[in-house]
Amino acid sequence: MTARFPAVSVGLPIVGPHAGPAAIEQVAVAADRLGFRSASLAERILLPVHGEAQMAYGLPDWPSYDALDTLAWVAARTERLRLRTDVVIPLFQQPVGDLTLGTDGAG
């Protein structure tokens, strides 16, 4: 009989003052190596901002990385880790047909 462990997942840091390629890769690679079940993220277009965390125009001072691009980038750096999105806003994504060669009749 094989022991069953709880499925544990981790969130990827794609928004906030600590978000960035190095942090995303560090979390994803460590989760993959340690046997976490999956890594997830949520697409955020609008962010709640307060006091010191905003610039003169009222926007956050930190980056927000694209959810699908980040998952593709992480997939190239991990082996077993399942990748998932918790929220994707379809209006901000290109249709899949645009990403496939020849679907517009020109290819």
Side-chain angles (χ1 to χ4, degrees):
M1 185 165 165
T2 304
R4 294 188 56 104
F5 297 102
V8 179
S9 298
V10 64
L12 297 174
I14 66 165
V15 64
H18 304 291
I24 294 167
E25 183 173 16
Q26 183 178 12
V27 170
V29 169
D32 190 39
R33 184 174 36 90
L34 294 171
F36 281 60
R37 180 182 179 100
S38 65
S40 66
L41 47 80
E43 186 170 54
R44 296 294 299 255
I45 300 299
L46 302 174
L47 302 169
V49 180
H50 57 81
E52 298 171 1
Q54 64 183 345
M55 56 190 259
Y57 302 106
L59 299 172
D61 261 339
W62 50 71
S64 177
Y65 292 90
D66 180 76
L68 300 181
D69 289 345
T70 300
L71 289 178
W73 188 78
V74 168
R77 287 159 175 75
T78 57
E79 295 177 19
R80 298 175 306 278
L81 192 65
R82 295 178 184 185
L83 304 174
R84 54 177 237 263
T85 59
D86 294 330
V87 176
V88 172
I89 303 168
L91 294 174
F92 296 110
Q93 299 298 327
Q94 293 292 322
V96 175
D98 286 353
L99 303 175
T100 307
L101 294 174
T103 59
D104 61 357

